[in-house]
Amino acid sequence: MTFHSGFACFIGRPNAGKSTLTNALVGQKVAIMSARPQTTRHTIRGIVHRPDAQLVLVDTPGLHRPRTLLGERLNDLVKGTLTEVDVVGFCMPSDQKVGPGDRFIAEQLADAARDGRGTPVVAIATKADLVGKARLAEHLLAISQLGDWADIVPVSAETGYQVDVLEKILIGHLPEGPALYPDGELTDEPVAVMVAELVREAALEGVRDELPHSLAVVVDEMVPREGDDDATPMLDVRVQLFVERDSQKAIIIGKGGSRLREVGTTARREIEALLGTRVFLDLHVKVAKDWQRDPKQLGRMGF
């Protein structure tokens, strides 16, 4: 039996369903999900194992017209990823019309093709469960007119509709080769980064639109608790949440610290499920004025 292996990346404007699709293909949460745009800040690798193939998924931040230094660096991250993968999945949500953001990305892909980086692009109509058949057909026609795609496939990560079809299509573009990761490994993302992303996901739920762009999360330390004799050891996790203004700090903390406690409870459950151990989560919120535009602060936060 011939074995195929390689890398695929999902691109698209913010909140196009890239992270949800990554998790659906892997079968487990490896990328954070939020209804707010600009959730993903790092390229998360999810690994799909099949008897005849191994597909490594790279989930990128949303490609957009940048307004800050952070936005420019996130776009550079996406463009760099395009040169390193075997197939690209361009995600366009079915419940939204093809718009300027999609055309901007299509132009970037066309430029890459003209530069000799002829990576095949699969156009993906995400969130197909949110629209009827007539609207989906209209959306697929608009996608077909946007560019020259290797394939066009509608999917729903929520219901599983055609996720298996997309998996086969992506694997069909991979070269022959051995497995790149051990069997059973689902991601190569550092644990500290995944923990920070889970805290960030919890903090983004139910907040105003301006906060997602202004929130950064950094794990200061993860250490076993000394003198803990319990059969299931306790891990002390200390995390800093950075915002740009005092008003945003107040949003995160909430009245009397109520919202920060909710964030901690939600994130702790997810982190314990990820690590398989008890966790004491210590959260601190700090103001780092205009950190998105400050090269030194961006560097300290890992961007």
Side-chain angles (χ1 to χ4, degrees):
M1 180 175 61
T2 304
F3 196 89
H4 292 78
S5 63
F7 294 84
C9 79
F10 293 142
I11 67 166
R13 52 190 163 90
N15 201 28
K18 303 181 295 295
S19 296
T20 313
L21 189 54
T22 295
N23 293 334
L25 283 162
V26 174
Q28 182 171 314
K29 179 186 284 190
V30 293
I32 71 165
M33 299 177 291
S34 171
R36 300 299 182 186
Q38 285 298 99
T39 302
T40 306
R41 289 273 177 78
H42 300 273
T43 52
I44 306 293
R45 284 182 171 84
I47 305 166
V48 179
H49 298 272
R50 285 195 0 182
D52 60 341
Q54 188 178 83
L55 174 66
V56 184
L57 299 167
V58 183
D59 179 41
T60 65
L63 194 57
H64 60 291
R65 294 187 186 278
R67 297 191 303 271
T68 64
L69 180 58
L70 172 64
E72 291 175 8
R73 291 191 178 180
L74 293 179
N75 271 5
D76 289 343
L77 187 66
V78 178
K79 292 174 183 176
T81 302
L82 293 179
T83 67
E84 300 169 352
V85 299
D86 301 294
V87 58
V88 174
F90 180 11
C91 297
M92 288 167 274
S94 300
D95 62 334
Q96 300 173 37
K97 290 186 176 181
V98 170
D102 299 309
R103 285 189 282 273
F104 171 75
I105 295 170
E107 290 168 6
Q108 302 297 310
L109 291 169
D111 288 345
R114 281 193 290 270
D115 288 343
R117 302 192 299 270
T119 306
V121 179
V122 176
I124 306 168
T126 57
K127 307 183 184 183
D129 60 303
L130 298 182
V131 298
K133 291 182 179 179
R135 172 69 188 99
L136 182 58
E138 180 183 317
H139 187 58
L140 292 173
L141 178 61
I143 289 174
S144 70
Q145 295 171 343
L146 191 61
D148 185 16
W149 316 120
D151 295 279
I152 302 175
V153 56
V155 301
S156 168
E158 288 293 334
T159 66
Y161 170 66
Q162 295 220 126
V163 171
D164 57 338
V165 173
L166 176 62
E167 180 183 300
K168 291 176 183 176
I169 288 173
L170 294 175
I171 288 175
H173 291 287
L174 302 183
E176 291 185 19
L180 302 169
Y181 293 90
D183 190 35
E185 190 168 318
L186 298 180
T187 182
D188 68 351
E189 190 68 18
V191 170
V193 172
M194 295 189 71
V195 167
E197 292 290 272
L198 289 172
V199 172
R200 193 163 177 270
E201 178 183 35
L204 288 178
E205 288 306 310
V207 297
R208 283 184 237 162
D209 289 344
E210 79 273 10
L211 187 55
H213 303 280
S214 305
L215 177 65
V217 179
V218 176
V219 176
D220 278 346
E221 64 175 356
M222 297 172 57
V223 294
R225 177 165 294 183
E226 293 184 7
D228 187 4
D229 297 325
D230 195 286
T232 305
M234 174 77 77
L235 191 69
D236 286 318
V237 180
R238 295 179 178 85
V239 177
Q240 294 195 67
L241 293 82
F242 293 96
V243 292
E244 294 189 305
R245 298 189 296 275
D246 287 326
S247 60
Q248 294 168 340
K249 181 177 179 179
I251 292 171
I252 291 288
I253 293 175
K255 187 175 181 180
S258 60
R259 188 157 193 289
L260 188 61
R261 285 194 294 273
E262 290 178 9
V263 171
T265 299
T266 300
R268 179 177 52 78
R269 282 198 301 264
E270 294 281 357
I271 294 168
E272 286 181 339
L274 172 70
L275 302 180
T277 189
R278 294 183 302 144
V279 167
F280 176 79
L281 184 59
D282 186 20
L283 302 179
H284 294 273
V285 185
K286 294 185 176 181
V287 175
K289 187 175 174 57
D290 293 329
W291 66 263
Q292 293 184 82
R293 295 171 172 81
D294 186 336
K296 289 184 179 179
Q297 293 197 90
L298 283 173
R300 284 197 293 269
M301 295 177 190
F303 298 111

